Every structure is written in structure tokens, then in C-alpha cells.
């Protein structure tokens, strides 16, 4: 079985402070994990992905995520929030089912950045 | 720009009508996915096609159907439209969807409003 849980539906931070968006997953296999960002009225854009290489993954716009197998987590972080980071973020788990890729999206976390 | 195109960008129609949404995948991608995003349901996977064949079905209503053509573009047909079908419809594509590491690239979406 495959599932993903984004622990916060909304996160609010001040500009210049760190960002932490939490994601826990469940998978029967060794999964790949993704984070996507969606700005208002836009499509989803890939931020970063983990594919069983380095556990610390660096993405675009200063974001990074760490894969922790023991905690089944893939939290997204950024040292200093910028106003342009205000968006919705989706954590995605991917593995194989019947020889084909199966993905499950989390419900999303809306990030608000306060000036 | 992800390389995935969707037309039209906006669509306004009446209840009971039928519409067709179109998607062109990235060059070289064989898999196409359709998603529905609404405020109350979040991002819902509808259906996936691989090289012209249906591969996976999600929460797709019987009133909805899709196909992928030999040139790999895809169409999503929505019929007997109801107010609740108003949503953003996204298309995504990936190279093949046979490994867990394949990335889905999203189009900009079609916003459907049913009046």
C-alpha cells in the first residue's frame, strides 16, 4: 500500500525565517519521493526528487529535502523564506505496481509568507 | 515552461453540456495523466494513458472519458456536466511511467466553469 501524509494544511512564516513543510510516507517498496510547488492559478512545478541516491536532495529556489527511511519522512526545508515562496506545496510518493509507476499526491500545504 | 500544453485555458459552459479538453505532452513522453483539482477535493488522479493505451484509472466518473491518439496527444471528454464538475483540469506527461523515478511534468491547466 502507498500513502503520503502532509502534516500541515497551512504554514505561515515571516519573510527571512526558515521554512519547514512536513511529509510522511508509506510504501511497500523503496519509493521515489517528489516535492512540487503550485503558485496560484498555475500548474505544478517540480521542486526536487529523491531517487535512492543521496538522502539530502537539493532543489530549485533554495529548497532541499532529506529522506529519512527510519522515520519514513521527506520534509522540505528552506533556510530563509522569500515572498515569492508563497504557494501550495505537494509531497508525492512513487513506487511500482504491476510493473508500472504508481504515484500518490499529498493533500498539499499552503505556505503563507508574512512581510 | 514544462513543455506540456493544454487547450483551452478557460472554458465556461452550462449544465448538461459536453466539453473536450486537449493536452499535448512533452516531446518524447509516452505517458499522459489527467488530474482534477477542486477546492473541496484537492488534486485527484483521473486516468493515465501510455502510448495510446489506458494504463490506470483513478477517481474518474463514468460521464468522463479520455483517449490518447497516435501522435500522443490526449483528450479528456466530460459529458452531462454538473455544477460540481467545475474545477481545474491538469494534464501531465512523463517519459514512460515504468520506473518509480519518472517525473511527471504538468501543463498549465484548463479551468472549467459550469454554470
Amino acid at each position: 500500500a502507498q500513502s503520503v501524509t502532509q502534516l500541515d494544511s497551512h504554514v505561515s512564516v515571516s519573510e527571512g525565517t526558515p521554512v519547514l513543510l512536513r511529509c510522511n510516507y508509506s510504501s511497500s517498496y523503496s519509493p521515489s519521493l517528489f516535492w512540487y510547488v503550485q503558485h496560484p492559478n498555475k500548474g505544478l512545478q517540480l521542486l526536487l526528487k529523491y531517487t535512492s541516491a543521496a538522502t539530502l536532495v537539493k532543489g530549485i529556489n533554495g529548497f532541499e529535502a532529506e529522506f529519512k527511511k527510519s522515520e519514513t519522512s521527506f520534509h522540505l526545508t528552506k533556510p530563509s523564506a522569500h515572498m515569492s515562496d508563497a504557494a501550495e506545496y505537494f509531497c508525492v510518493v512513487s513506487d511500482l505496481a504491476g510493473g508500472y509507476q504508481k504515484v500518490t499526491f499529498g493533500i498539499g500545504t499552503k505556505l503563507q509568507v508574512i512581510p | 515552461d514544462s513543455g506540456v500544453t493544454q487547450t483551452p485555458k478557460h472554458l465556461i459552459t452550462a449544465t448538461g453540456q459536453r466539453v473536450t479538453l486537449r493536452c499535448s505532452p512533452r516531446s518524447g513522453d509516452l505517458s499522459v495523466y489527467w488530474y482534477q483539482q477542486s477546492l473541496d477535493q484537492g488534486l485527484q488522479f483521473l486516468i493515465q494513458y501510455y502510448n495510446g493505451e489506458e494504463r490506470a484509472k483513478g477517481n474518474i466518473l463514468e460521464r468522463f472519458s479520455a483517449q490518447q491518439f497516435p501522435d500522443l496527444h490526449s483528450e479528456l471528454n466530460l459529458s452531462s456536466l454538473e455544477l460540481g464538475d467545475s474545477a481545474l483540469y491538469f494534464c501531465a506527461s512523463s517519459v514512460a511511467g515504468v520506473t518509480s523515478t519518472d517525473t511527471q511534468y504538468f501543463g498549465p491547466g484548463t479551468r472549467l466553469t459550469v454554470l
Side-chain angles (χ1 to χ4, degrees), chain B:
Chain B
D1 183 2
S2 66
V4 178
T5 60
Q6 290 186 248
T7 56
K9 194 169 181 177
H10 300 279
L11 200 48
I12 302 174
T13 188
T15 54
Q17 295 299 304
R18 172 190 170 95
V19 297
T20 298
L21 313 183
R22 182 188 168 102
C23 168
S24 292
R26 292 187 326 151
S27 177
D29 284 359
L30 298 177
S31 271
V32 170
Y33 310 77
W34 286 98
Y35 293 87
Q36 179 193 58
Q37 186 178 41
S38 60
L39 283 174
D40 56 343
Q41 299 275 355
L43 190 66
Q44 299 281 321
F45 167 67
L46 295 178
I47 197 165
Q48 179 198 357
Y49 278 82
Y50 172 74
N51 204 21
E53 293 190 6
E54 181 184 307
R55 173 175 290 179
K57 262 186 175 179
N59 302 320
I60 188 166
L61 300 172
E62 285 193 10
R63 300 183 285 108
F64 296 0
S65 65
Q67 53 184 326
Q68 186 180 26
F69 294 87
D71 66 353
L72 301 177
H73 90 273
S74 178
E75 293 180 358
L76 179 67
N77 300 295
L78 315 176
S79 61
S80 302
L81 285 167
E82 302 175 359
L83 295 177
D85 298 328
S86 296
L88 258 176
Y89 291 85
F90 287 108
C91 168
S93 73
S94 71
V95 172
V98 294
T99 73
S100 67
T101 60
D102 279 359
T103 297
Q104 291 188 25
Y105 294 90
F106 282 75
T110 292
R111 180 170 292 282
L112 173 66
T113 302
V114 182
L115 301 175

Side-chain angles (χ1 to χ4, degrees), chain A residues 32 36 38 41 49 94 100-101, chain B residues 97 100-104 111:
Chain A
S32 295
Y36 283 84
Q38 184 183 23
N41 298 311
K49 72 176 182 181
S94 167
Y100 299 114
Q101 183 187 32
Chain B
S100 67
T101 60
D102 279 359
T103 297
Q104 291 188 25
R111 180 170 292 282

Side-chain angles (χ1 to χ4, degrees), chain A residues 17-38:
Chain A
T17 65
V19 176
L20 170 63
L21 305 183
R22 299 182 294 166
C23 173
N24 285 101
Y25 70 91
S26 171
S27 174
S28 304
Y29 302 97
S30 296
S32 295
L33 293 154
F34 303 75
W35 275 99
Y36 283 84
V37 60
Q38 184 183 23

Side-chain angles (χ1 to χ4, degrees), chain A residues 60-82:
Chain A
I60 61 172
N61 302 332
F63 284 94
E64 62 182 37
E66 186 171 9
F67 174 73
K68 292 187 177 180
K69 187 174 181 178
S70 60
E71 298 176 11
T72 60
S73 69
F74 190 58
H75 301 335
L76 182 70
T77 61
K78 182 173 180 177
S80 176
H82 191 272

